[in-house]
């Protein structure tokens, strides 16, 4: 298992983020243009970031933990609507699916 990043690495990566932002802004490159050609596989974390962004945009909530049950449903509906644009749909997991998920996740 890798060690947690050091304080120096943390400072360095944040300085890097600022330098990249300054350079791209200086060149007039938008986030949309930058991301357009970027191909990165999805992960559980990247999907959660998208879901969180939906909750923030739609309900003003910064964390998925702050969503109400109906807001969570609304975020899922928005996410599923976007998935449909790509020809797929993922149902919200049932109670039975969660039992298997917990068993598989912690093996």
């Amino acid at each position: 298992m890798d060690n947690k990043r050091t304080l120096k690495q943390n400072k360095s990566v944040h300085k890097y983020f600022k330098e990249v932002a300054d350079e791209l802004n200086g060149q007039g490159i938008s986030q949309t243009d930058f991301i357009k050609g970027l191909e990165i596989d999805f992960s559980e974390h990247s999907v959660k970031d998208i879901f969180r962004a939906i909750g923030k945009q739609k309900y003003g909530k910064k964390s998925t933990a702050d969503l109400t049950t109906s807001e969570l449903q609304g975020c899922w509906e928005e996410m599923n609507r976007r998935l449909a644009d790509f020809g797929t749909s993922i149902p919200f997991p049932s109670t039975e699916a969660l039992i298997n998920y917990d068993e598989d996740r912690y093996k």
Side-chain angles (χ1 to χ4, degrees):
M1 185 172 159
D2 279 343
N3 294 327
K4 189 174 177 181
R5 68 182 181 202
T6 66
L7 182 58
K8 187 175 180 178
Q9 285 174 317
N10 186 56
K11 288 173 77 171
S12 294
V13 75
H14 284 277
K15 180 170 176 37
Y16 172 76
F17 296 156
K18 171 119 176 59
E19 289 175 357
V20 170
D22 290 346
E23 179 65 22
L24 294 173
N25 287 333
Q27 291 187 33
I29 298 170
S30 72
Q31 289 184 40
T32 303
D33 289 340
F34 182 79
I35 293 171
K36 193 182 304 178
L38 191 62
E39 293 190 25
I40 300 172
D41 290 340
F42 284 97
S43 69
E44 180 179 343
H45 299 290
S46 64
V47 172
K48 184 175 181 179
D49 287 342
I50 295 166
F51 199 89
R52 185 183 299 119
I54 293 169
K56 186 174 182 183
Q57 184 71 26
K58 192 167 180 151
Y59 302 109
K61 306 277 177 91
K62 292 181 180 178
S63 172
T64 57
D66 295 334
L67 295 170
T68 66
T69 55
S70 62
E71 290 169 345
L72 186 73
Q73 177 70 25
C75 289
W76 172 81
E77 289 169 359
E78 294 292 342
M79 185 75 159
N80 219 36
R81 187 174 303 123
R82 184 63 177 142
L83 286 170
D85 292 340
F86 292 92
T88 192
S89 175
I90 309 293
F92 201 77
S94 66
T95 303
E96 295 79 22
L98 291 179
I99 293 167
N100 294 333
Y101 176 72
D102 286 341
E103 290 172 1
D104 293 341
R105 187 173 178 126
Y106 299 107
K107 282 186 179 178

